[in-house]
Amino acid sequence: MAKVLVTASHGKGATCLTFSRDGQRAFTGGQDCIVRIWKINEGAEQEPSTAAEAEDAVLCVAAADDYWFSGSVDTEARRYLRDSNEFDAPLTTVAGVPVRSIAVDPKSRRVAVTSDELFVRMVDMEDTSKSTRLEGYSSGVRSATWHPSGSHLATCTCDGKIVVWDMISEPPRIEKTLDGIIPKVLDTDSSEFTYDCSVVWHTSGQHFFVATKGHEIITISRSDWSKSAPFSDKNATGAITALAVSPNGVYLASASQSRVYIWSTETKRVVTSHLGTPGSAITRLQFSPRQNLVAWVDTDGAFSRWTKPISDDFPDPVKAAISTKGSATVAVSFKPGADFFADELGAANGDDTMDADTNLDDDMLPLDDEWIVDDMDGAHSTEPKEAERVPFVKEMVSITKAQPPFQPGSTPFLNKKRYLSHNLIGVIEVTDTDDANLVTVECFDKSTRRGYNFKDNFRYDQGYLGERGAVFACPPQNEHSARVRYRPFSSTSSTWDYELRKETKCLGVAAGGAALTPKNVSDIELDGYGFVVIATSENDLTFLSGTGRERRIMALPGEFVTMITSAEWVLVVHRAGSTTIDGSQNLHFTMINEEDFSVRQRDILPVPKGHTLKWMGLTDQGAPAMYDSTGCLHIMTKYRIPHHASWARVLDTNFLERRKGKDESYWPVGVTGDNFICLILKGRQEHPSFPRPLLQELPLQMPFRSSARQEEMLARETMQIELMFDNLDEELTTDDIVSREKAIDKEFVKLIHTACKEGRDARAIELTKLIHQLPTFDIVSQIADFFHQPGLKEKVITIKTDREEAEDRLIVARSKRRRWLKQDAPLRQLAGTTNPVRVDPLGDGRPPPVIERPGMARVTVPIIERTQYSSLNASTSQRTATQESPSWDDSVVDSSPAAEKRKRPDLEDSFPSSDFPMPPPKQRANPFARKDKNPFARKADAKTIRKSESFFDKVDAAESEPPRKPKTSTKGKEREKKDGGPKQATLFGMISKGPPKPKKALTPQPVDAQSDAQLESQMTDVSMSELTIDSQEGVGGQEREYSPDWEETQVDDDPSLMAISDA
Amino acid sequence: MALPQSLRVSVTPPELELVASQQLVEIVPLIAMEKTAFISGAYGPLRPPNKAKVPLWMAVNLKLKKKCHIVAPEWLNVEFLQERVNLETTQPTFSHLPLRFAEIAKVILDVASNDLDNPDKIRSLLKDLREARQAKSRDGLKELDHSELSLPNLCSMEINEIRPYFVQAMNVLTQLVRNPVPDPLR
């Protein structure tokens, strides 16, 4: 692994070192007046070539593309040809003082030479005689460093100042002087003076590192020159003697005396360290521009090379290999390596030492590097940045890189550790041990869910912590296919695995379910384990129950990006089609009900062009929330009502108070109440590090343009209350809502008070209308009183009475909820209930209304036994054939006129008539006709049996009475006789009608029913429904059996009737 | 009481600690709990991972049961204390610190040092602070007056510390002023 080659080369004393730009050679110079040129690839036994032109100790060496330089105590700065010891020309000669440092700009055009003179010489490479001076120093200049773009030059002076020159303006001007950061060393002979105090620019050019007099390494931002948190480690103490940054800016190397530390610039933690020759101080330290190699020289004059200081587990120090996966960093910074060394990276990318995980992230690096950064350049308009990008070939991608699928709250591996999921429920952490992963599930609420850990041989790379369980997924590997494991938060239930087909990849997993609280945690077995949703590369969403039962495989349009679940739905973010050419990710979202797989919401996800979605999550009220790379947080409102959802912007982290003057970004975890829960990442950090940082709460603040905080608060509170109302089902309100409403009303009152004070009545009224609780109106009217505004008071009272009179708003809200949340559309329901009532005039097959002709009724007659069907049929059909039905009906009912005499002819009539009965059946066949007729039937009997129902009936009765009287008296007997008679007739009818009957097969039933109905109505007041039931049964033979009873009742009736009539 | 006389006039540090335990601190609970009424007030609800404000005694209690993490107050960190130490050593006046910082810091350092960043450094800074301030209050003795003593920014623990001696000294001074020793020459 890491090995260190130490070669003694120069004498004791300050020694200097530089790499050639291609990293093949290293140049060292020392007190022995010689510069040695080392071939990096050769071992310790090599004999380096030397350049011995210097007449005194060599204090500095520097390399450009075509030349290299050395500066010596002998006042001379010399130029040599590339990679050789061939002296080319003297660069410049300073006036009698040692040359302290030589710095070549990144374009190899200008060389800055510093010495103990009170200025910096700027020598043109083309023509070394052309030199300008950067003046304004009060002491000698110890070192100079170019900004990676060549736009700035940072110099460090003996009196402890850092002077930054703006080299673009003509002539160069001092942009900033920072005092009191670096130590003041005026004694050039002291050992401290030999230390490398120079600032080290980060490759992004955004900031530089410098060792302070407090023995710390701090980062100074180039944009506002603010310091940020130092690199600290309890072991790294003592003066920092040298600093270097890795070619891609991921690592920073520092030397404290003889020990070399390598830090991660992202986490500011020590990655590795190495102890050099004890007792000597390292005076120069450098990363090789091309290899994973660190070299240094110390005061013993030894040259040390440490090959492979960064183990393979970490991102390479040369390649741009920092992932951007799933991060929530606000894109203010460049990706390391995207600049100065960009051209060299191509060459270095050949050897691939990265693990699969970082490779994966590689493809998305350009995403942030290309247009996003461009965008931000425009937004933040720092023009030096533009200049810095000039020297590199700028590849403008014409097609926007598509954002790959991600799990919300996951990070890539960093120091062999990663988060699979980090949300408000808990954290899934994975530690990579060599043979297997160690998965730790830790929940915040330890009383409801117990954390656990297990050894994972499948190397799960996706995870989701749901309310009722954790789900993991691993990619397909050589022998096993992709599998998903669900482990519910329950002591009794076992985990289950779900295997996908070979070659099918799992793109995302999510587990949902009703919230688990300490109260219902014991009921988990009863309530179930929620549900699991898996997005696979077969373009589908697979829904599984909490016990692993497959429920549905739903096709998913477009590419899957991410998803989140709640108790009742899953929200999937997908890309419909491809990204657009103008930088939009073209993301859509679909909210699917878990229960019935219906789509509740479907719309475009509002991620602006040139930005990516960073996070999706839930608020504590279960509303979806999203965070994108612009740093804005949105919450979805009205998400329960189909197609009513909208995204409310509740926080713009770019305008946060705390962010001013700080370089930090926010990694979202969740939203609770009025707070945005996040992890705060310092500097350019993209992912939270280990151990887990403390969750921070940032208060939500809608980015309103006017600065009225109170109004913003009210708007936000109102939105929260609306969200809470939307979450209700049948209940009207909750205590929580009421207390919130009261609190908000208080604020309203305050605002109304101010409005009154300022005399803005319109505003006061507007606010009054927003008040929730009725009692508050009284307070408002008191305020109006106080300000002597009777008009306003009147209006307030009007509003109050309006509110009182109107339907209770809570009930209105509930019915609204019901309407929207009901599964069945109300319209359909209505249609269903009204159906029987509705009449289609054209499709009405009922007979025309019957015209009642009581007078004529008599004519038709006797019919007697409607119960006996066949005969009855015969007779009726006969009669209908000859007469209009109404009259027939009447006659049927009107048993009284039926005399024995008639009986016979009737029957006779019936026989022939039955043969041609066509017209009447129509009427009879219609069930409705029956109903229509009932009144008549009743009337006919009623008039005699009981008090008649209507005037007309009475009239009828009066009319018919005189003739009837005799008949009625005989009625009973007649009936009996008739009974017998028709029965016979039936027999006859049956015989005779045998053949023709089939034609009219239907007719008997209705007729029978009719008559039956009549009977019933005669006997008692029977409801319609019974009637119909009876009529349905009517066909049955029993009917006939009952008939005698009927006869009897009829008979009973008759005497009474007679009595009446007699009276 | 086995305390020396000088201490008996004043409250003991554990008593002060008890008083300070009423102060509210932020915790990150690890258990869920509804809003609960105590004699001193209703606290909660506890909803992990949301922070909650509870009195120090409750935080300590929960912490000892491993049911919460205590969030350090904003003054209990290396940067803040370092700055205060700098002020304390450069300025003649007392720098502003919470009234009961010493007690709270002690309790938190005792119980929840693993929730703090760099507790050892904090300890040493607190000690520096205490020494610097102690030196100042000793200096203040020179200006001691018989009638009044204004103690801007002095903390409860420090007041408590100087009380016995200062009260005594002021009594003596008062006596001297009221009954001046007759001039021997007169």
Side-chain angles (χ1 to χ4, degrees):
Chain A
M1 271 241 343
K3 79 176 176 177
V4 179
L5 271 180
V6 185
T7 329
S9 52
H10 303 280
K12 277 211 184 283
T15 317
C16 55
L17 160 79
T18 196
F19 274 100
S20 68
R21 290 216 168 161
D22 60 7
Q24 297 296 313
R25 285 174 172 75
F27 305 90
T28 60
Q31 298 296 315
D32 56 359
C33 317
I34 289 174
V35 178
R36 292 183 199 275
I37 306 170
W38 305 83
K39 289 189 178 128
I40 292 300
N41 296 331
E42 291 179 20
E45 65 291 343
Q46 67 174 303
E47 186 55 48
S49 53
T50 56
E53 276 76 13
E55 288 158 15
D56 206 333
V58 177
L59 292 182
C60 55
V61 283
D65 286 343
D66 305 320
Y67 303 100
W68 63 270
F69 308 89
S70 75
S72 157
V73 180
D74 65 0
T75 74
E76 202 69 48
R78 297 180 175 80
R79 184 167 81 180
Y80 296 84
L81 287 179
R82 175 183 174 172
D83 295 350
S84 70
N85 56 0
E86 198 176 320
F87 179 63
D88 178 57
L91 185 69
T92 186
T93 309
V94 295
V97 284
V99 176
R100 294 292 174 191
S101 136
I102 296 176
V104 187
D105 84 338
K107 283 170 265 183
S108 298
R109 296 228 187 87
R110 290 179 290 184
V111 185
V113 181
T114 73
S115 63
D116 291 353
E117 293 170 319
L118 301 185
F119 54 85
V120 176
R121 282 167 193 266
M122 195 57 60
V123 185
D124 196 313
M125 282 273 271
E126 305 290 322
D127 181 1
T128 52
S129 61
K130 255 202 243 169
S131 93
T132 50
R133 290 177 177 192
L134 307 179
E135 298 197 37
Y137 292 95
S138 53
S139 70
V141 183
R142 288 173 67 187
S143 73
T145 329
W146 288 93
H147 186 271
S149 69
S151 61
H152 289 78
L153 181 74
T155 55
C156 300
T157 67
C158 299
D159 54 0
K161 286 180 190 157
I162 299 172
V163 181
V164 184
W165 291 84
D166 177 1
M167 300 304 290
I168 290 183
S169 59
E170 198 56 53
R173 58 182 178 84
I174 294 177
E175 186 165 317
K176 181 75 183 177
T177 303
L178 298 161
D179 204 350
I181 292 174
I182 57 166
K184 202 175 195 175
V185 189
L186 293 171
D187 176 12
T188 57
D189 292 329
S190 69
S191 65
E192 203 182 348
F193 194 81
T194 62
Y195 298 161
D196 182 8
C197 67
S198 53
V199 307
V200 179
W201 287 94
H202 186 260
T203 48
S204 69
Q206 288 281 303
H207 44 259
F208 59 76
F209 305 103
V210 69
T212 67
K213 56 186 174 189
H215 299 177
E216 283 174 328
I217 304 167
I218 57 165
T219 312
I220 294 181
S221 158
R222 201 208 59 77
S223 51
D224 53 3
W225 311 109
S226 60
K227 292 181 226 176
S228 57
F231 287 67
S232 64
D233 189 279
K234 58 182 184 300
N235 298 322
T237 51
I240 288 146
T241 57
L243 275 182
V245 71
S246 78
N248 62 3
V250 175
Y251 300 102
L252 177 77
S254 76
S256 293
Q257 300 305 327
S258 51
R259 188 175 265 282
V260 177
Y261 296 95
I262 296 184
W263 311 73
S264 161
T265 53
E266 194 172 330
T267 60
K268 305 197 171 178
R269 286 176 195 280
V270 170
V271 173
T272 179
S273 70
H274 178 80
L275 183 64
T277 320
S280 67
I282 292 167
T283 55
R284 291 292 184 275
L285 184 68
Q286 284 242 292
F287 270 96
S288 161
R290 288 293 169 82
Q291 293 171 39
N292 186 354
L293 184 144
V294 176
W296 64 85
V297 288
D298 56 28
T299 47
D300 282 351
F303 170 55
S304 313
R305 283 170 281 165
W306 181 8
T307 49
K308 283 249 197 156
I310 313 288
S311 67
D312 291 347
D313 304 320
F314 293 99
D316 192 273
V318 178
K319 278 180 290 184
I322 273 258
S323 80
T324 54
K325 188 173 174 183
S327 105
T329 309
V330 185
V332 284
S333 58
F334 280 64
K335 291 294 147 295
D339 34 33
F340 186 28
F341 295 93
D343 49 342
E344 299 171 358
L345 288 177
N349 270 340
D351 61 327
D352 187 4
T353 51
M354 316 167 75
D355 57 54
D357 206 58
T358 33
N359 260 342
L360 220 167
D361 302 326
D362 250 3
D363 359 353
M364 62 176 301
L365 186 64
L367 178 79
D368 284 0
D369 277 343
E370 243 72 68
W371 43 260
I372 286 196
V373 172
D374 282 350
D375 247 55
M376 296 313 282
D377 273 356
H380 295 264
S381 90
T382 31
E383 59 67 40
K385 246 194 252 169
E386 289 299 322
E388 136 190 316
R389 297 186 65 80
V390 171
F392 323 112
V393 187
K394 196 157 147 192
E395 189 194 350
M396 278 308 290
V397 270
S398 55
I399 295 168
T400 314
K401 287 281 195 308
Q403 181 175 13
F406 67 92
Q407 288 289 113
S410 67
T411 68
F413 268 110
L414 191 73
N415 296 3
K416 295 195 162 200
K417 271 174 167 271
R418 66 179 289 193
Y419 296 104
L420 280 189
S421 176
H422 191 161
N423 55 22
L424 287 180
I425 298 165
V427 184
I428 305 178
E429 290 176 3
V430 172
T431 312
D432 182 9
T433 59
D434 286 333
D435 48 338
N437 284 350
L438 209 68
V439 180
T440 313
V441 178
E442 201 186 323
C443 299
F444 293 125
D445 186 353
K446 298 203 157 65
S447 52
T448 41
R449 302 182 188 86
R450 286 185 52 199
Y452 51 87
N453 43 33
F454 61 91
K455 200 170 167 188
D456 148 36
N457 295 314
F458 293 108
R459 297 194 181 264
Y460 294 117
D461 66 342
Q462 283 164 339
Y464 192 99
L465 206 52
E467 283 284 352
R468 298 188 160 236
V471 60
F472 305 91
C474 67
Q477 259 168 20
N478 31 29
E479 77 280 7
H480 71 82
S481 53
R483 65 168 66 214
V484 176
R485 162 168 292 195
Y486 184 63
R487 178 159 175 175
F489 289 118
S490 158
S491 45
T492 52
S493 81
S494 53
T495 56
W496 50 263
D497 287 303
Y498 175 70
E499 262 189 60
L500 302 184
R501 291 195 186 86
K502 280 245 180 246
E503 308 300 314
T504 305
K505 274 181 283 190
C506 180
L507 302 178
V509 286
L516 210 56
T517 60
K519 279 190 197 123
N520 69 7
V521 69
S522 49
D523 295 337
I524 185 168
E525 319 295 331
L526 191 66
D527 294 350
Y529 305 129
F531 60 98
V532 175
V533 189
I534 305 165
T536 72
S537 58
E538 287 172 15
N539 258 347
D540 67 63
L541 284 183
T542 307
F543 287 80
L544 298 141
S545 75
T547 52
R549 177 172 59 91
E550 281 180 287
R551 293 177 59 210
R552 183 156 305 187
I553 294 182
M554 183 184 287
L556 181 71
E559 299 163 43
F560 170 84
V561 176
T562 192
M563 66 179 161
I564 52 167
T565 50
S566 84
E568 46 187 17
W569 44 259
V570 50
L571 185 129
V572 188
V573 177
H574 53 94
R575 184 179 296 106
S578 63
T579 58
T580 61
I581 206 156
D582 56 355
S584 166
Q585 285 287 333
N586 196 12
L587 297 180
H588 293 234
F589 69 89
T590 308
M591 187 187 268
I592 302 162
N593 277 342
E594 173 266 336
E595 203 172 281
D596 57 357
F597 308 106
S598 61
V599 171
R600 196 182 274 186
Q601 310 287 349
R602 180 189 350 229
D603 206 350
I604 297 169
L605 199 70
V607 177
K609 278 176 193 169
H611 287 279
T612 50
L613 177 68
K614 289 294 185 193
W615 174 79
M616 290 293 298
L618 289 174
T619 71
D620 57 345
Q621 293 172 13
M626 65 170 266
Y627 187 84
D628 57 28
S629 55
T630 59
C632 288
L633 177 74
H634 294 89
I635 289 180
M636 195 198 265
T637 58
K638 298 273 174 207
Y639 61 94
R640 290 186 84 193
I641 305 174
H643 310 297
H644 275 212
S646 63
W647 292 93
R649 186 170 299 174
V650 290
L651 184 70
D652 188 340
T653 55
N654 298 313
F655 299 129
L656 279 180
E657 287 284 317
R658 57 164 290 130
R659 192 151 192 263
K660 282 186 187 134
K662 276 192 207 162
D663 185 12
E664 64 182 24
S665 57
Y666 310 96
W667 197 82
V669 174
V671 180
T672 58
D674 297 330
N675 288 316
F676 172 44
I677 310 288
C678 60
L679 301 177
I680 294 179
L681 307 179
K682 299 273 183 239
R684 293 166 42 276
Q685 218 179 339
E686 276 193 77
H687 305 291
S689 51
F690 287 84
R692 200 166 70 236
L694 207 59
L695 288 175
Q696 302 285 330
E697 296 176 355
L698 299 180
L700 292 186
Q701 190 184 0
M702 291 178 160
F704 282 0
R705 274 118 194 152
S706 64
S707 57
R709 282 210 68 134
Q710 213 176 6
E711 285 167 21
E712 185 273 336
M713 195 272 276
L714 284 177
R716 186 155 41 76
E717 274 293 313
T718 314
M719 191 194 79
Q720 294 279 8
I721 291 179
E722 274 171 23
L723 277 172
M724 291 167 103
F725 267 123
D726 285 345
N727 268 343
L728 296 180
D729 284 319
E730 281 303 291
E731 57 276 59
L732 282 175
T733 183
T734 62
D735 294 347
D736 193 21
I737 293 181
V738 171
S739 60
R740 264 178 180 252
E741 280 184 347
K742 280 185 180 152
I744 203 174
D745 278 359
K746 214 176 270 173
E747 296 301 316
F748 275 129
V749 168
K750 279 185 203 159
L751 275 185
I752 291 169
H753 187 266
T754 356
C756 285
K757 213 184 209 168
E758 292 164 0
R760 294 192 296 171
D761 281 12
R763 172 64 64 91
I765 291 165
E766 181 187 303
L767 292 169
T768 311
K769 282 182 187 160
L770 295 174
I771 285 175
H772 299 93
Q773 306 278 341
L774 278 176
T776 321
F777 285 104
D778 302 332
I779 303 170
V780 175
S781 57
Q782 278 168 24
I783 291 175
D785 256 350
F786 179 80
F787 285 99
H788 305 296
Q789 287 178 315
L792 178 64
K793 187 184 176 185
E794 210 167 279
K795 280 167 194 151
V796 169
I797 291 170
T798 319
I799 295 173
K800 190 191 171 187
T801 44
D802 279 357
R803 182 72 66 86
E804 277 167 347
E805 279 160 18
E807 202 181 341
D808 186 4
R809 70 195 165 89
L810 297 174
I811 294 172
V812 171
R814 183 176 66 182
S815 52
K816 219 171 177 179
R817 280 200 300 277
R818 277 187 187 154
R819 217 157 48 221
W820 281 112
L821 299 179
K822 267 270 152 60
Q823 294 292 335
D824 294 333
L827 197 67
R828 196 179 303 158
Q829 263 189 338
L830 255 176
T833 51
T834 53
N835 230 355
V837 181
R838 214 140 109 235
V839 177
D840 178 4
L842 290 177
D844 186 8
R846 288 177 298 174
V850 200
I851 302 158
E852 187 196 347
R853 290 177 196 166
M856 292 177 81
R858 238 43 24 118
V859 186
T860 37
V861 170
I863 331 312
I864 338 98
E865 43 317 12
R866 7 243 105 104
T867 28
Q868 261 99 11
Y869 293 359
S870 33
S871 65
L872 170 67
N873 283 330
S875 60
T876 50
S877 58
Q878 170 262 327
R879 227 167 291 113
T880 42
T882 50
Q883 298 170 259
E884 325 139 55
S885 65
S887 54
W888 166 77
D889 265 326
D890 267 5
S891 65
V892 169
V893 184
D894 242 42
S895 51
S896 50
E900 305 131 281
K901 301 164 201 162
R902 285 207 162 183
K903 208 191 336 177
R904 213 26 80 187
D906 257 340
L907 288 173
E908 280 159 14
D909 272 357
S910 75
F911 293 125
S913 70
S914 60
D915 288 343
F916 26 87
M918 260 30 281
K922 267 189 236 157
Q923 301 163 336
R924 262 182 278 136
N926 198 319
F928 298 101
R930 216 187 306 148
K931 287 172 193 165
D932 291 341
K933 273 162 219 158
N934 282 332
F936 306 129
R938 205 183 303 137
K939 163 215 69 200
D941 309 296
K943 92 195 138 192
T944 46
I945 298 165
R946 357 188 133 152
K947 332 146 202 163
S948 46
E949 270 95 332
S950 79
F951 171 68
F952 291 108
D953 290 350
K954 284 176 180 162
V955 172
D956 287 351
E959 270 179 6
S960 55
E961 220 143 327
R964 226 190 249 174
K965 238 183 180 170
K967 281 169 202 166
T968 44
S969 60
T970 53
K971 202 177 172 190
K973 289 164 226 163
E974 260 178 18
R975 270 269 168 90
E976 266 147 28
K977 280 173 209 159
K978 271 183 238 155
D979 243 344
K983 266 173 200 159
Q984 288 166 10
T986 324
L987 290 173
F988 288 127
M990 283 177 103
I991 299 155
S992 63
K993 270 175 247 164
K997 244 330 143 33
K999 266 191 257 169
K1000 305 192 290 173
L1002 278 173
T1003 57
Q1005 171 186 353
V1007 170
D1008 206 319
Q1010 259 176 28
S1011 54
D1012 202 58
Q1014 289 158 2
L1015 301 183
E1016 300 267 41
S1017 59
Q1018 281 169 348
M1019 296 187 302
T1020 47
D1021 271 342
V1022 183
S1023 72
M1024 275 299 188
S1025 57
E1026 278 178 75
L1027 264 181
T1028 43
I1029 293 164
D1030 284 358
S1031 66
Q1032 279 161 359
E1033 297 171 352
V1035 210
Q1038 327 109 287
E1039 201 59 37
R1040 228 172 288 162
E1041 285 159 28
Y1042 295 147
S1043 59
D1045 296 66
W1046 166 77
E1047 291 299 342
E1048 277 167 27
T1049 52
Q1050 195 67 1
V1051 171
D1052 290 346
D1053 277 348
D1054 280 348
S1056 64
L1057 173 144
M1058 282 161 68
I1060 292 166
S1061 60
D1062 287 341
Chain B
M1 231 154 104
L3 282 174
Q5 182 64 39
S6 64
L7 281 177
R8 253 184 257 175
V9 293
S10 186
V11 217
T12 58
E15 282 164 343
L16 278 178
E17 204 177 290
L18 189 77
V19 175
S21 288
Q22 292 301 325
Q23 304 260 310
L24 294 187
V25 290
E26 273 194 318
I27 57 164
V28 177
L30 297 175
I31 52 157
M33 191 183 87
E34 288 304 317
K35 201 174 173 85
T36 312
F38 294 90
I39 293 172
S40 55
Y43 303 109
L46 307 185
R47 295 252 179 285
N50 297 351
K51 286 177 191 161
K53 274 208 159 160
V54 298
L56 187 60
W57 60 264
M58 190 169 156
V60 167
N61 197 306
L62 287 173
K63 175 72 194 175
L64 289 175
K65 292 174 184 157
K66 295 202 167 50
K67 284 179 177 167
C68 77
H69 296 301
I70 298 180
V71 180
E74 74 273 16
W75 49 266
L76 194 62
N77 59 47
V78 174
E79 285 94 63
F80 186 92
L81 292 176
Q82 183 73 61
E83 186 209 345
R84 283 298 129 104
V85 168
N86 289 349
L87 277 180
E88 211 65 66
T89 48
T90 50
Q91 307 283 323
T93 57
F94 289 98
S95 62
H96 179 70
L97 274 165
L99 178 66
R100 305 196 184 276
F101 87 93
E103 298 93 313
I104 295 175
K106 180 187 180 292
V107 171
I108 294 182
L109 277 170
D110 281 355
V111 175
S113 60
N114 54 350
D115 291 341
L116 296 175
D117 223 13
N118 212 343
D120 298 338
K121 180 88 175 162
I122 290 178
R123 267 198 197 97
S124 82
L125 283 171
L126 282 169
K127 190 147 173 59
D128 290 353
L129 212 54
R130 174 181 146 77
E131 277 162 10
R133 291 171 76 103
Q134 214 169 19
K136 274 186 200 169
S137 53
R138 281 199 195 110
D139 265 1
L141 200 54
K142 284 181 201 150
E143 283 117 48
L144 199 63
D145 190 287
H146 73 278
S147 61
E148 59 169 0
L149 179 64
S150 120
L151 309 161
N153 289 338
L154 218 58
C155 299
S156 64
M157 197 63 103
E158 289 154 354
I159 295 171
N160 191 47
E161 197 175 41
I162 62 171
R163 184 181 287 135
Y165 188 78
F166 273 45
V167 167
Q168 202 75 42
M170 284 169 81
N171 282 341
V172 171
L173 275 175
T174 315
Q175 275 177 357
L176 287 177
V177 172
R178 287 221 183 114
N179 321 311
V181 182
D183 196 336
L185 294 180
R186 236 175 353 162

